[in-house]
Amino acid sequence: MSMDRKEKNPHAGHRERLRRRFVATGLDGFSEHEVLELLLCYAIPRRDVNDLAHVLIERFGSLSGVLDAPAGQLMSIEGVGEQAAVLIKLIPQIMRKYQLSGIEGSKKPVLDDVNKAARFILPYFQSLTEEAVYLVCLDPLCRVISVQRCGSGGEYSTVTSVKSIVEIAARDRADSVLLAHNHPGGVPVPSTEDIAATKRIAEALKTVDIRLADHLVVTGNEFASMNECGYLK
Protein backbone atom coordinates (compact mmCIF):
# COMPACT_ATOMS: atom_id res chain seq x y z
CA MET A 1 0.00 0.00 0.00
CA SER A 2 2.73 2.47 0.95
CA MET A 3 4.61 1.62 -2.27
CA ASP A 4 1.46 2.37 -4.29
CA ARG A 5 1.16 5.78 -2.64
CA LYS A 6 4.81 6.58 -3.39
CA GLU A 7 4.33 5.58 -7.03
CA LYS A 8 1.26 7.82 -7.28
CA ASN A 9 3.13 10.78 -5.77
CA PRO A 10 6.90 10.28 -6.20
CA HIS A 11 7.58 13.79 -4.87
CA ALA A 12 5.99 13.14 -1.46
CA GLY A 13 9.38 12.42 0.11
CA HIS A 14 10.84 15.74 -1.06
CA ARG A 15 7.81 17.66 0.20
CA GLU A 16 8.07 15.93 3.56
CA ARG A 17 11.75 16.85 3.84
CA LEU A 18 10.91 20.50 3.13
CA ARG A 19 8.22 20.47 5.80
CA ARG A 20 10.53 18.85 8.35
CA ARG A 21 13.26 21.43 7.65
CA PHE A 22 10.77 24.20 8.20
CA VAL A 23 9.47 22.71 11.46
CA ALA A 24 13.03 22.25 12.72
CA THR A 25 14.63 25.55 11.69
CA GLY A 26 11.96 27.83 10.25
CA LEU A 27 12.89 29.41 6.94
CA ASP A 28 16.54 29.93 7.89
CA GLY A 29 18.66 28.30 5.22
CA PHE A 30 15.81 28.15 2.68
CA SER A 31 16.46 29.72 -0.71
CA GLU A 32 13.69 31.90 -2.17
CA HIS A 33 12.57 29.20 -4.59
CA GLU A 34 12.43 26.64 -1.73
CA VAL A 35 10.19 28.97 0.29
CA LEU A 36 7.88 29.31 -2.70
CA GLU A 37 8.05 25.58 -3.38
CA LEU A 38 6.94 24.80 0.18
CA LEU A 39 4.04 27.22 -0.17
CA LEU A 40 2.95 25.78 -3.51
CA CYS A 41 2.89 22.27 -2.02
CA TYR A 42 -0.29 23.24 -0.18
CA ALA A 43 -2.04 24.54 -3.29
CA ILE A 44 -0.82 21.93 -5.80
CA PRO A 45 -0.73 18.63 -3.90
CA ARG A 46 0.00 16.15 -6.69
CA ARG A 47 2.69 17.71 -8.82
CA ASP A 48 6.38 18.49 -8.50
CA VAL A 49 6.37 22.25 -7.92
CA ASN A 50 10.15 22.75 -7.83
CA ASP A 51 10.35 23.72 -11.50
CA LEU A 52 7.28 25.93 -11.15
CA ALA A 53 8.85 27.78 -8.21
CA HIS A 54 11.96 28.44 -10.32
CA VAL A 55 9.83 29.68 -13.22
CA LEU A 56 7.92 32.09 -10.97
CA ILE A 57 11.09 33.50 -9.38
CA GLU A 58 12.64 33.95 -12.84
CA ARG A 59 9.49 35.59 -14.23
CA PHE A 60 8.94 38.04 -11.37
CA GLY A 61 12.54 38.52 -10.25
CA SER A 62 12.35 37.55 -6.59
CA LEU A 63 10.13 36.05 -3.91
CA SER A 64 8.78 39.51 -3.09
CA GLY A 65 8.12 40.04 -6.79
CA VAL A 66 6.03 36.87 -6.89
CA LEU A 67 4.07 37.82 -3.76
CA ASP A 68 3.40 41.31 -5.13
CA ALA A 69 2.39 40.19 -8.62
CA PRO A 70 -1.30 40.56 -9.57
CA ALA A 71 -3.29 37.33 -9.45
CA GLY A 72 -4.00 37.54 -13.18
CA GLN A 73 -0.29 37.63 -14.00
CA LEU A 74 0.36 34.70 -11.70
CA MET A 75 -2.33 32.64 -13.40
CA SER A 76 -0.80 33.42 -16.79
CA ILE A 77 2.05 31.10 -15.80
CA GLU A 78 1.36 27.52 -16.87
CA GLY A 79 0.66 25.39 -13.80
CA VAL A 80 -0.60 28.24 -11.59
CA GLY A 81 -4.35 27.98 -11.12
CA GLU A 82 -6.71 30.14 -9.13
CA GLN A 83 -6.13 28.20 -5.90
CA ALA A 84 -2.35 28.69 -6.07
CA ALA A 85 -2.71 32.36 -7.03
CA VAL A 86 -5.07 33.03 -4.13
CA LEU A 87 -2.71 31.33 -1.67
CA ILE A 88 0.25 33.38 -2.94
CA LYS A 89 -1.72 36.64 -2.71
CA LEU A 90 -2.92 35.71 0.77
CA ILE A 91 0.61 35.71 2.25
CA PRO A 92 1.41 39.48 2.04
CA GLN A 93 -2.10 40.32 3.19
CA ILE A 94 -1.67 38.07 6.25
CA MET A 95 1.70 39.76 6.93
CA ARG A 96 0.01 43.16 6.79
CA LYS A 97 -2.80 42.06 9.14
CA TYR A 98 -0.22 40.56 11.49
CA GLN A 99 1.73 43.80 11.74
CA LEU A 100 -1.38 45.96 12.13
CA SER A 101 -2.72 43.62 14.82
CA GLY A 102 0.43 44.24 16.85
CA ILE A 103 0.18 47.99 16.37
CA GLU A 104 -3.52 48.36 17.05
CA GLY A 105 -3.49 45.97 19.99
CA SER A 106 -0.75 47.84 21.86
CA LYS A 107 -0.93 50.83 24.17
CA LYS A 108 -1.36 54.20 22.52
CA PRO A 109 1.99 54.85 20.83
CA VAL A 110 3.56 58.29 21.07
CA LEU A 111 4.49 59.75 17.68
CA ASP A 112 6.56 62.73 18.76
CA ASP A 113 9.17 62.53 15.99
CA VAL A 114 9.20 61.68 12.31
CA ASN A 115 10.94 58.31 12.68
CA LYS A 116 8.38 57.07 15.21
CA ALA A 117 5.60 58.30 12.93
CA ALA A 118 7.11 56.47 9.94
CA ARG A 119 7.59 53.20 11.84
CA PHE A 120 3.97 53.40 12.93
CA ILE A 121 2.40 54.21 9.57
CA LEU A 122 4.53 52.16 7.13
CA PRO A 123 2.79 48.80 7.87
CA TYR A 124 -0.54 50.29 6.80
CA PHE A 125 0.81 50.57 3.26
CA GLN A 126 2.53 47.18 3.11
CA SER A 127 1.52 45.14 0.03
CA LEU A 128 -0.89 47.83 -1.21
CA THR A 129 -0.68 48.17 -4.98
CA GLU A 130 -3.08 51.10 -5.16
CA GLU A 131 -2.69 54.57 -3.68
CA ALA A 132 -4.22 55.09 -0.25
CA VAL A 133 -4.48 57.93 2.26
CA TYR A 134 -4.41 57.50 6.05
CA LEU A 135 -5.21 60.03 8.75
CA VAL A 136 -3.76 59.60 12.27
CA CYS A 137 -5.34 61.73 15.00
CA LEU A 138 -3.09 62.65 17.94
CA ASP A 139 -3.77 64.00 21.42
CA PRO A 140 -1.76 66.87 23.04
CA LEU A 141 0.97 64.38 24.06
CA CYS A 142 1.21 63.06 20.48
CA ARG A 143 -0.42 59.78 21.45
CA VAL A 144 -2.49 58.06 18.78
CA ILE A 145 -6.24 58.54 19.17
CA SER A 146 -7.37 56.92 15.93
CA VAL A 147 -6.22 55.79 12.51
CA GLN A 148 -8.52 55.92 9.53
CA ARG A 149 -8.20 55.37 5.82
CA CYS A 150 -9.73 58.48 4.35
CA GLY A 151 -9.19 58.20 0.62
CA SER A 152 -7.55 56.55 -2.34
CA GLY A 153 -5.16 58.00 -4.85
CA GLY A 154 -5.22 61.77 -4.94
CA GLU A 155 -8.64 61.96 -3.31
CA TYR A 156 -7.25 63.72 -0.24
CA SER A 157 -6.78 66.80 -2.40
CA THR A 158 -10.47 67.19 -3.30
CA VAL A 159 -12.71 69.68 -1.50
CA THR A 160 -14.93 66.85 -0.23
CA SER A 161 -12.00 64.91 1.21
CA VAL A 162 -10.44 67.99 2.83
CA LYS A 163 -13.79 68.58 4.54
CA SER A 164 -13.91 64.91 5.59
CA ILE A 165 -10.39 65.08 7.07
CA VAL A 166 -11.33 68.14 9.12
CA GLU A 167 -14.57 66.50 10.29
CA ILE A 168 -12.77 63.30 11.39
CA ALA A 169 -10.08 65.24 13.24
CA ALA A 170 -12.67 67.41 14.99
CA ARG A 171 -14.87 64.44 15.82
CA ASP A 172 -11.95 62.60 17.46
CA ARG A 173 -10.92 65.77 19.30
CA ALA A 174 -7.43 65.70 17.85
CA ASP A 175 -4.86 68.23 18.95
CA SER A 176 -2.85 67.49 15.80
CA VAL A 177 -2.97 65.02 12.92
CA LEU A 178 -0.54 63.04 10.79
CA LEU A 179 -1.42 62.50 7.15
CA ALA A 180 0.22 59.84 4.97
CA HIS A 181 -0.23 58.55 1.45
CA ASN A 182 1.76 56.23 -0.80
CA HIS A 183 3.29 56.28 -4.27
CA PRO A 184 3.14 52.57 -5.25
CA GLY A 185 6.01 51.64 -7.52
CA GLY A 186 7.27 55.22 -7.53
CA VAL A 187 9.53 57.31 -5.35
CA PRO A 188 8.71 58.95 -1.99
CA VAL A 189 8.97 62.48 -3.35
CA PRO A 190 6.07 64.93 -2.87
CA SER A 191 4.56 66.03 -6.16
CA THR A 192 3.42 69.58 -6.88
CA GLU A 193 -0.15 68.40 -6.33
CA ASP A 194 0.83 66.77 -3.01
CA ILE A 195 2.36 70.02 -1.78
CA ALA A 196 -0.62 72.15 -2.83
CA ALA A 197 -3.10 69.72 -1.25
CA THR A 198 -1.09 69.59 1.97
CA LYS A 199 -1.19 73.37 2.31
CA ARG A 200 -4.97 73.40 1.72
CA ILE A 201 -5.49 70.72 4.38
CA ALA A 202 -3.26 72.54 6.88
CA GLU A 203 -5.21 75.77 6.38
CA ALA A 204 -8.55 73.95 6.69
CA LEU A 205 -7.46 72.28 9.95
CA LYS A 206 -6.43 75.64 11.39
CA THR A 207 -10.07 76.76 11.21
CA VAL A 208 -10.89 74.21 13.92
CA ASP A 209 -7.64 74.83 15.85
CA ILE A 210 -5.98 71.54 14.82
CA ARG A 211 -2.38 71.36 13.62
CA LEU A 212 -1.16 69.27 10.70
CA ALA A 213 1.96 67.78 12.30
CA ASP A 214 3.26 66.16 9.12
CA HIS A 215 2.37 64.59 5.81
CA LEU A 216 4.43 61.53 4.90
CA VAL A 217 4.82 60.26 1.35
CA VAL A 218 5.52 56.52 1.42
CA THR A 219 7.04 54.09 -1.08
CA GLY A 220 7.86 50.61 0.20
CA ASN A 221 9.98 51.10 3.32
CA GLU A 222 11.03 54.62 2.37
CA PHE A 223 9.31 57.89 3.16
CA ALA A 224 9.60 61.65 2.82
CA SER A 225 8.40 64.12 5.45
CA MET A 226 6.78 67.29 4.13
CA ASN A 227 7.44 68.93 7.48
CA GLU A 228 11.17 68.17 7.26
CA CYS A 229 11.17 69.36 3.65
CA GLY A 230 9.81 72.70 4.85
CA TYR A 231 6.40 72.58 3.17
CA LEU A 232 4.47 73.04 6.43
CA LYS A 233 6.40 76.10 7.61
Side-chain angles (χ1 to χ4, degrees), residues 72-89:
Q73 289 187 22
L74 291 170
M75 287 189 287
S76 71
I77 304 298
E78 184 178 357
V80 179
E82 182 178 11
Q83 186 170 338
V86 168
L87 182 61
I88 290 170
K89 296 306 300 176

Side-chain angles (χ1 to χ4, degrees), residues 16-175:
E16 184 60 27
R17 286 192 293 274
L18 280 178
R19 283 192 285 264
R20 287 179 179 175
R21 277 179 62 194
F22 172 71
V23 170
T25 65
L27 292 178
D28 289 346
F30 274 66
S31 65
E32 291 198 342
H33 86 268
E34 287 176 324
V35 174
L36 188 55
E37 182 182 1
L38 179 59
L39 180 64
L40 289 171
C41 286
Y42 292 93
I44 308 173
R46 297 195 176 278
R47 174 186 163 183
D48 179 15
V49 292
N50 180 276
D51 288 345
L52 182 57
H54 279 285
V55 168
L56 285 166
I57 295 291
E58 183 177 350
R59 168 66 176 80
F60 297 105
S62 64
L63 178 61
S64 63
V66 175
L67 296 179
D68 290 339
Q73 289 187 22
L74 291 170
M75 287 189 287
S76 71
I77 304 298
E78 184 178 357
V80 179
E82 182 178 11
Q83 186 170 338
V86 168
L87 182 61
I88 290 170
K89 296 306 300 176
L90 185 61
I91 299 305
Q93 292 297 322
I94 289 176
M95 290 164 54
R96 181 172 181 270
K97 285 288 187 182
Y98 170 78
Q99 287 190 309
L100 294 182
S101 176
I103 291 171
E104 294 168 354
S106 62
K107 294 180 180 179
K108 291 182 179 180
V110 177
L111 309 184
D112 55 3
D113 67 51
V114 67
N115 291 316
K116 290 179 183 177
R119 284 196 300 271
F120 176 83
I121 202 66
L122 283 173
Y124 284 87
F125 296 99
Q126 183 178 329
S127 78
L128 293 186
T129 56
E130 76 283 359
E131 290 189 21
V133 185
Y134 279 91
L135 177 69
V136 183
C137 293
L138 305 171
D139 70 11
L141 297 178
C142 295
R143 294 176 302 188
V144 174
I145 299 171
S146 64
V147 183
Q148 184 164 329
R149 183 166 174 167
C150 58
S152 299
E155 289 180 4
Y156 65 89
S157 65
T158 66
V159 173
T160 301
S161 291
V162 171
K163 180 181 178 182
S164 176
I165 288 170
V166 173
E167 288 176 346
I168 293 168
R171 179 201 68 195
D172 291 353
R173 299 181 179 181
D175 179 77

